[in-house]
Amino acid sequence: MTSPGRAAITAKHLRTDRWWLQPAVTFTGLFLFVVYSTWRAFADTDYYAAPYVSPFYSPCLADNCRDMRNGPNFDLLGSWWGLSPALLILIFPLGFRLTCYYYRKAYYRAFWASPPACAVSEPHAKYSGETRFPLIMQNMHRYFFYAAVPVAGILTYDTVLAFRDDSYEFGHMGLGTLVFLVNIVLIWAYTLSCHSCRHLIGGKLRHFSKHPVRYRMWTWVGKLNERHMQLAWASLISVAAADFYVYLLASGAFSDPVLF
């Protein structure tokens, strides 16, 4: 498309590389996660195998949850909730990811072709950005960050409980413990690398010299922020892997190998 002030080039783009490959891979990865997480969220089964609880079901906010000894059972909603308890909690971490600056770029390009890639025109005749409903709701990202932090804290508690055996005795470690450890490290790294976290720590400071501690924390978060894309994907894979591992144990596919 040509317009005044632009070169009179009729081609949609002049790129000769495989520009479509990255959005195609992104589409495939996100689509597979959506399908898997939807299945597991509505399954309402095979999410607890002592001492492990699936991160999709933690914390459990209804009384229709499995009895998890010393686990994240918080019967806040009583017995009126009859659907899967995962639907009560997943809205917060999923909302955090859906409004994430990196994920916006990823699924805008992969699913909506807006635009599909750099220097490739988009098929949409109009562009309103995030100024209208529903995309204006993306501005809630900072509030989802506030909700994601306590959820990550509860998943940390679940990881501590993973150092028990199936008789709830501490001082033990299974393969699942390693899976949970890797997952919680990546969850925290992704959460703290968030742009909202960086702004919260030091974004409003006028004089870094007057706030040396916050400045140091701001630089640490800034280093994590440089790897925000990689952490977004790594934590997405790790949380699905942790859930799938618990599913395999709870469904009786195999027993958790004991390390000590």
Side-chain angles (χ1 to χ4, degrees), residues 180-201:
F180 273 57
L181 276 173
V182 171
N183 179 57
I184 196 57
V185 168
L186 292 174
I187 289 292
W188 274 116
Y190 167 67
T191 303
L192 296 179
S193 70
C194 168
H195 296 77
S196 293
C197 178
R198 188 168 183 260
H199 178 74
L200 181 66
I201 291 176

Side-chain angles (χ1 to χ4, degrees), residues 80-163:
W80 68 269
W81 183 263
L83 301 177
S84 169
L87 302 179
L88 293 170
I89 193 62
L90 281 181
I91 185 175
F92 299 110
L94 288 180
F96 179 55
R97 289 182 184 267
L98 281 173
T99 58
C100 166
Y101 291 112
Y102 165 70
Y103 280 118
R104 291 189 219 178
K105 168 190 170 182
Y107 66 76
Y108 284 0
R109 290 186 172 187
F111 287 84
W112 298 339
S114 182
C118 293
V120 178
S121 61
E122 59 180 292
H124 309 287
K126 297 182 179 180
Y127 176 76
S128 60
E130 296 174 345
T131 61
R132 297 180 181 178
F133 184 82
L135 295 185
I136 196 173
M137 302 298 291
Q138 302 283 29
N139 294 318
M140 294 181 63
H141 180 59
R142 71 184 67 182
Y143 303 107
F144 278 116
F145 167 73
Y146 299 149
V149 170
V151 171
I154 292 173
L155 295 182
T156 303
Y157 175 70
D158 294 342
T159 304
V160 173
L161 296 184
F163 283 89

Side-chain angles (χ1 to χ4, degrees), residues 22-35:
Q22 182 173 350
V25 172
T26 301
F27 174 88
T28 302
L30 293 179
F31 179 76
L32 290 176
F33 180 81
V34 168
V35 172

Side-chain angles (χ1 to χ4, degrees), residues 13 45-46 68 77 86 90-91 105 113 128 148 150 173 220 224 238 254:
H13 63 84
T45 186
D46 297 329
M68 298 177 285
L77 299 181
L90 281 181
I91 185 175
K105 168 190 170 182
S128 60
M173 187 173 183
W220 290 342
L224 282 177
S238 70
F254 71 97

